[in-house]
Amino acid sequence: MDNKRYGHFDDQHREYVITDPKTPWPWINYLGNEDFFSLISNTAGGYSFYKDAKFRRITRYRYNNVPMDNGGRYFYINDNGTVWNPGWKPCKTPLDFYECRHGMSYTRITGRKNGVEASVLFFVPLKTWAEVQKLTLTNQSKEVKKLKLFSFEEWCLWNAATDMENFQRNFSTGEVEIEGSTIYHKTEYRERRNHYAYYHVNTEIQGYDTDRETFVGLYNEFANPDAVMEGKPRNSHAHGWSPIASHYIEVELQPGESRDLIFLLGYVENEQDKKFAAPQVINKDKAHATIEKLNTTEKVDKAFAELCQYWDALLNIYKVHTGNDKLDRMVNIWNQYQCMVTFNFSRSASFFESGVGRGMGFRDSNQDLVGFVHQIPPRARQRIIDIASTQFPDGGCYHQYQPLTKRGNNDIGGGFNDDPCWLIFGTVAYIKETGDFSILDEMVPFDNQPGSEVTLFEHLKVSMDHVIKNLGPHMLPLIGRADWNDCLNLNCFSWDPNESFQTTENKSEGSKAESLMIAGLFVVTAKEYVELCKKLSENSKNSEYSEEAKRMQVAIDAMIAAVKKDGWDGEWYLRAYDFFGNKIGSHECEEAKIFIESQGWCTMAQIGAEDGMVAKALDSCKKYLECEHGMVLNNPAFTKYIYEYGEISSYPEGYKENAGIFCHNNPWVIIGECIAGRGNDAWSHYAKILPSYVEEKYQTLHKVEPYVNCQMVAGKDAAKPGEGKNSWLTGTAAWMWLTVSQYILGVKPQYDGLQIDPCLPTTAKEYTIQRKFRDAEYTITVKNPDGKESGVKQMIVDGKPIDGNIIPYSAGKHAVEVTM
Ligand code: GLC
Ligand code: GLC
């Protein structure tokens, strides 16, 4: 097998270093932490946006194009007729040296050609609505170099969806202003928009271009723009068509001399009454202010140092030292980094998610925040409130909402019956991390309607009720439009290829379609809810909470009984009942006899553990689902479209929801293994989808970024097993984090303190964890002299043995010794 490597980890700098620009697929990174965001590939492709990749796209990008990864922030260097880019693309002039370092919210791309080095540091400073591009040019040759430098950005006309289609309008609306070394993009500012963008450089320029065709030449490409090739800017002023921003700068460098140029791509919003400085002239005050803050190397270096400190602090909250570099780097760096990214972007913008399709998912965001909550709890808190505000009074929920407006997305609507449970999942994780019960008293509306506010606790209650009130003939949860598996559309019945399985009318009236995945999810989350109610009753001495706990316990017991009676297939849990009440995921079925989701959730819920069901189900996962690259979603794959099942059977064998390795759900089984105390099995499943292990073996086959998880790896029935797709934005990040931090390494936040309950491979002998938790800081050493898989024998906190395995919370520094 082709085992070529394109890069390697640099743990000390927390970077992935790419040494060959021709990676098997663009390998990207994310810049920005709160409002202003950018995607950047290893050849400087990608785009920027403010908050919302659909409604506030700042620069243009072309998905799925030829050549691949088209559009970005490009620097062209014309060195006496040789034209090249530091990131190799778009000119693709062979470089003497190339390197891309993707780090924590920054990327540094360096190229060298004919004795000139160009190194660009890209990042978004904290609390700033701009991307900094610090370009350092160095003359490493023995001659004087006279370089002609061109920068390049292409503006998007704000709404990324209409930008791609409404050309009859778009080609007439584009407007720019040029002031000194700053090019302003102000399309539609004259009417309803109060925002503009700008591209600045901190030096005098010798020319510019703002009209794409004038700069590039109608029959040229980004690889050979007329202006660059001739070394002559056109000083064009865009009126309609496609506005761009390009600076032209002449740079003379003595041998050994080096020069920094700071480029700034920024975004501004003005108050309605302060939009204009003069008729037709935009008010540039805020742009000037941001430029002023970042117009020297010193200021930029300081902003960069602040960003690095920010990440130091975030990554100091949970740190492990096991001595296994492959594990340590994922836990300490990349898994946590990916959790921040999924928290920020949900499933909206990646190189597989176009930024126009989906906003924030109700279920997705609740899961993402569980991977993020230890990093910045106040942001997770706000997210919970935002999500809950899109719930309906009956507990159902909008499936998605737009980050800019925070409104539920009407195009897709609701009716995904797993959604409500995830709100409990997210909220409980937040309270356990922070101890902040006050979130439950927050007044939160339904469907964002003023006047409909109830407490967040009330939202949790209606969430649980939504499941209980929507049970089917076997007393199992009705699936609705779909459960976690968006493609198991049991009430859809579509023969029209133009219908979306996701949005087409749902014929759930009279449906018997029930989900075992929701059954397991309900038991897990309802147990959390019961524990929460008991805690609230203890805290408040209010008997209503203990009554509520009792009420829900009855529902849990009933659900467990229903699963044991009608949800067990003999060797594993069934997946579902279809519209007509027929079994799905049973040995009686022709194809797809077993599915992963119900195994994961029912084993996490421990349903029937006492009767051996959990162990059998976990064994069946190993026997039927596991392969070289992880566990597939179902087995065998569907080989034909089944009208009653919907999208799941629309995919070719081994891809996506049809027997792909949908990484997101592997951790469910792994956690099931951990709860069952089977450390060796848990570890072997985990290592199969751990990026650092994949990185070592399969860079070429896997294709996508080797430093993060992807949503899907082609399964054993696929034409190319092991090929990865849909990198970055996947619930896998949060679940991998939960798995390793809380279940394998076993440090679990609880209401009263940190619980230590590792589940290890027998080869693990010792490791240390630094964990900040609320106002405390723990150094936890776990020793496993006898090679146990689970079970804590003894715990010593600050020199004193304690009963049980929960470190009672108290502020300050503590040393904990754990023996398995
Ligand atoms: C996608 C969706 C997620 C869904 C999963 C399985 O990742 O974002 O909501 O659960 O696919 O269909
Ligand atoms: C597709 C995908 C699924 C995703 C859904 C969201 O069906 O297969 O993974 O969750 O679209 O719209």
Side-chain angles (χ1 to χ4, degrees):
M1 193 194 308
D2 178 3
N3 198 15
K4 180 167 159 45
R5 298 180 64 123
Y6 297 84
H8 57 266
F9 287 99
D10 175 348
D11 295 339
Q12 203 201 329
H13 295 102
R14 301 192 196 121
E15 291 170 339
Y16 193 82
V17 187
I18 301 165
T19 48
D20 180 343
K22 286 188 240 177
T23 47
W25 188 258
W27 286 358
I28 75 164
N29 194 12
Y30 286 85
L31 313 177
N33 293 290
E34 283 201 48
D35 298 321
F36 188 105
F37 295 111
S38 301
L39 282 67
I40 182 165
S41 73
N42 59 306
T43 55
Y47 58 91
S48 303
F49 59 93
Y50 170 78
K51 279 192 183 165
D52 192 310
K54 179 175 181 180
F55 291 131
R56 284 288 191 286
R57 188 77 66 95
I58 295 170
T59 52
R60 197 176 268 169
Y61 183 75
R62 289 164 187 78
Y63 279 91
N64 193 16
N65 218 285
V66 178
M68 187 58 207
D69 188 17
N70 213 4
R73 58 292 270 166
Y74 296 138
F75 291 104
Y76 296 92
I77 297 166
N78 186 331
D79 177 5
N80 201 15
T82 303
V83 178
W84 58 283
N85 315 101
W88 182 61
K89 278 194 69 175
C91 293
K92 296 192 279 180
T93 306
L95 298 176
D96 300 334
F97 172 85
Y98 159 89
E99 184 184 84
C100 167
R101 290 179 169 260
H102 285 318
M104 304 288 104
S105 304
Y106 70 88
T107 288
R108 192 191 299 270
I109 297 178
T110 304
R112 278 183 217 144
K113 184 76 187 170
N114 297 344
V116 175
E117 179 178 281
S119 188
V120 200
L121 172 68
F122 300 90
F123 72 103
V124 175
L126 298 173
K127 311 263 177 240
T128 303
W129 292 359
E131 175 184 309
V132 169
Q133 304 162 355
K134 179 187 165 197
L135 167 65
T136 307
L137 290 166
T138 308
N139 181 358
Q140 300 178 329
S141 79
K142 298 210 160 54
E143 293 124 47
V144 176
K145 286 279 182 184
K146 288 187 179 177
L147 308 174
K148 294 177 172 180
L149 172 74
F150 295 80
S151 68
F152 178 84
E153 297 268 6
E154 182 177 7
W155 303 115
C156 180
L157 307 189
W158 306 117
N159 181 327
T162 55
D163 184 66
M164 290 189 296
E165 57 184 28
N166 196 6
F167 306 113
Q168 61 79 24
R169 170 180 164 82
N170 297 349
F171 287 166
S172 293
T173 56
E175 289 190 297
V176 298
E177 273 181 44
I178 301 142
E179 180 199 60
S181 302
T182 314
I183 295 161
Y184 291 86
H185 175 226
K186 60 168 187 178
T187 300
E188 291 183 347
Y189 191 81
R190 60 165 60 232
E191 31 125 346
R192 294 158 297 172
R193 295 189 184 275
N194 67 337
H195 53 89
Y196 62 82
Y198 58 93
Y199 194 36
H200 167 83
V201 58
N202 69 339
T203 190
E204 225 171 81
I205 57 176
Q206 284 72 50
Y208 60 84
D209 271 292
T210 66
D211 178 66
R212 189 184 69 197
E213 267 71 59
T214 310
F215 176 76
V216 176
L218 191 56
Y219 295 101
N220 290 356
E221 296 162 27
F222 288 145
N224 57 348
D226 272 342
V228 176
M229 301 320 277
E230 288 172 26
K232 254 194 243 133
R234 303 317 200 226
N235 298 336
S236 59
H237 195 122
H239 299 283
W241 300 111
S242 293
I244 59 160
S246 171
H247 305 99
Y248 169 70
I249 305 161
E250 290 170 358
V251 183
E252 186 173 312
L253 293 174
Q254 300 301 314
E257 192 187 346
S258 186
R259 180 165 168 202
D260 290 334
L261 293 168
I262 315 282
F263 293 83
L264 205 60
L265 174 72
Y267 170 86
V268 165
E269 279 182 3
N270 275 337
E271 293 78 40
Q272 200 57 32
D273 58 344
K274 299 204 182 98
K275 276 179 68 171
F276 296 97
Q280 307 267 9
V281 178
I282 58 178
N283 176 347
K284 305 183 181 67
D285 291 351
K286 290 188 185 173
H288 291 159
T290 306
I291 289 168
E292 175 60 32
K293 277 192 205 151
L294 291 157
N295 58 358
T296 66
T297 298
E298 294 67 42
K299 292 179 193 173
V300 164
D301 289 351
K302 188 166 164 275
F304 184 61
E306 281 163 12
L307 178 68
C308 296
Q309 282 153 16
Y310 170 85
W311 272 104
D312 281 345
L314 288 178
L315 296 177
N316 271 338
I317 297 167
Y318 191 122
K319 248 169 63 180
V320 72
H321 178 77
T322 66
N324 172 350
D325 291 346
K326 293 207 256 314
L327 178 63
D328 291 0
R329 73 168 60 108
M330 292 319 299
V331 175
N332 295 338
I333 307 169
W334 293 97
N335 194 174
Q336 297 199 58
Y337 183 56
Q338 190 179 5
C339 284
M340 162 76 92
V341 170
T342 57
F343 175 83
N344 279 335
F345 298 98
S346 190
R347 307 298 169 266
S348 66
S350 72
F351 268 29
F352 294 87
E353 301 278 6
S354 63
V356 299
R358 303 199 266 165
M360 315 295 280
F362 193 99
R363 78 158 83 89
D364 294 333
S365 290
N366 270 303
Q367 292 171 80
D368 295 341
L369 75 87
V370 168
F372 170 83
V373 62
H374 66 290
Q375 298 189 328
I376 311 179
R379 288 189 66 200
R381 190 185 206 270
Q382 185 58 47
R383 181 63 55 79
I384 292 169
I385 309 281
D386 291 346
I387 297 171
S389 306
T390 65
Q391 193 170 30
F392 301 117
D394 72 348
C397 326
Y398 273 111
H399 196 48
Q400 290 158 10
Y401 70 96
Q402 282 306 129
L404 194 69
T405 60
K406 298 189 174 178
R407 294 291 164 134
N409 191 333
N410 270 316
D411 295 345
I412 177 143
F416 294 75
N417 281 352
D418 62 315
D419 274 338
C421 293
W422 296 110
L423 186 62
I424 316 257
F425 182 74
T427 307
V428 163
Y430 168 79
I431 302 174
K432 287 188 168 175
E433 177 69 36
T434 57
D436 171 21
F437 288 90
S438 77
I439 190 176
L440 296 171
D441 303 326
E442 289 291 332
M443 297 301 284
V444 181
F446 290 109
D447 190 7
N448 279 296
Q449 294 307 313
S452 66
E453 291 82 358
V454 298
T455 62
L456 180 65
F457 182 79
E458 220 28 62
H459 279 264
L460 301 190
K461 189 169 172 188
V462 295
S463 297
M464 292 276 86
D465 283 342
H466 191 267
V467 180
I468 306 172
K469 288 184 183 157
N470 287 285
L471 299 178
H474 302 93
M475 300 310 280
L476 293 165
L478 288 168
I479 199 166
R481 212 173 261 279
D483 61 21
W484 172 87
N485 189 331
D486 276 343
C487 297
L488 197 58
N489 315 118
L490 303 181
N491 300 309
C492 182
F493 305 107
S494 180
W495 276 122
D496 177 354
N498 291 318
E499 276 174 0
S500 152
F501 289 104
Q502 303 297 315
T503 56
T504 201
E505 198 205 340
N506 202 277
K507 304 177 181 66
S508 50
E509 191 81 3
S511 169
K512 296 180 184 163
E514 297 168 299
S515 161
L516 268 300
M517 183 265 158
I518 305 181
L521 173 68
F522 172 78
V523 173
V524 170
T525 49
K527 281 184 185 167
E528 292 284 1
Y529 179 77
V530 166
E531 191 193 2
L532 175 66
C533 290
K534 287 185 178 160
K535 196 75 214 159
L536 290 171
S537 117
E538 195 183 305
N539 290 354
S540 67
K541 311 275 174 261
N542 181 340
S543 64
E544 267 175 44
Y545 290 119
S546 52
E547 289 308 313
E548 179 62 1
K550 277 185 212 147
R551 180 179 83 98
M552 203 49 58
Q553 189 59 49
V554 173
I556 295 173
D557 295 341
M559 189 67 78
I560 292 176
V563 173
K564 287 167 83 168
K565 179 164 174 288
D566 291 311
W568 181 248
D569 194 56
E571 300 286 321
W572 55 80
Y573 304 95
L574 292 176
R575 175 62 176 88
Y577 284 95
D578 71 10
F579 184 92
F580 309 100
N582 300 316
K583 290 177 187 170
I584 298 181
S586 159
H587 69 284
E588 296 163 24
C589 299
E590 204 182 311
E591 296 182 328
K593 293 170 189 286
I594 170 171
F595 283 76
I596 197 168
E597 303 99 323
S598 44
Q599 314 317 318
W601 281 100
C602 294
T603 59
M604 280 193 272
Q606 291 274 290
I607 298 175
E610 61 290 355
D611 306 324
M613 288 178 175
V614 166
K616 273 192 196 158
L618 293 171
D619 288 341
S620 295
C621 291
K622 287 208 292 182
K623 193 160 163 198
Y624 300 105
L625 302 178
E626 194 180 15
C627 68
E628 191 184 348
H629 304 282
M631 285 175 277
V632 299
L633 191 146
N634 53 294
N635 184 255
F638 291 105
T639 57
K640 48 188 180 294
Y641 176 58
I642 304 177
Y643 167 66
E644 294 89 344
Y645 291 3
E647 184 165 2
I648 190 166
S649 58
S650 73
Y651 285 112
E653 298 84 330
Y655 294 100
K656 290 281 286 181
E657 280 90 341
N658 183 17
I661 297 158
F662 216 98
C663 300
H664 188 148
N665 52 39
N666 277 232
W668 300 345
V669 173
I670 305 173
I671 293 176
E673 291 279 9
C674 289
I675 297 174
R678 303 172 19 150
N680 284 330
D681 289 328
W683 177 261
S684 85
H685 287 309
Y686 175 72
K688 281 192 172 168
I689 60 166
L690 194 63
S692 51
Y693 279 79
V694 180
E695 195 263 351
E696 187 185 47
K697 287 186 259 177
Y698 304 115
Q699 292 201 2
T700 310
L701 170 68
H702 191 67
K703 272 195 160 101
V704 288
E705 294 89 336
Y707 34 93
V708 290
N709 273 109
C710 57
Q711 180 206 56
M712 196 262 325
V713 176
K716 55 185 172 176
D717 309 282
K720 281 204 179 162
E723 198 178 64
K725 286 190 189 125
N726 303 1
S727 52
W728 281 101
L729 300 186
T730 162
T732 313
W735 280 101
M736 287 295 271
W737 175 249
L738 207 61
T739 301
V740 71
S741 65
Q742 299 196 15
Y743 290 91
I744 295 179
L745 300 171
V747 178
K748 222 179 278 175
Q750 298 289 9
Y751 295 118
D752 298 325
L754 275 186
Q755 182 178 26
I756 311 296
D757 191 12
C759 185
L760 306 169
T762 41
T763 50
K765 291 291 178 272
E766 184 174 335
Y767 58 93
T768 309
I769 288 174
Q770 301 284 137
R771 174 64 151 105
K772 294 205 170 108
F773 179 61
R774 304 179 199 168
D775 293 323
E777 199 177 327
Y778 299 94
T779 305
I780 305 158
T781 308
V782 176
K783 293 192 172 147
N784 187 23
D786 305 330
K788 290 265 165 37
E789 287 180 276
S790 66
V792 167
K793 190 159 81 186
Q794 193 190 39
M795 258 174 56
I796 300 179
V797 179
D798 298 328
K800 292 190 199 86
I802 60 159
D803 290 334
N805 65 352
I806 299 184
I807 314 167
Y809 172 73
S810 72
K813 291 196 174 180
H814 305 283
V816 183
E817 268 186 56
V818 181
T819 311
M820 306 281 294

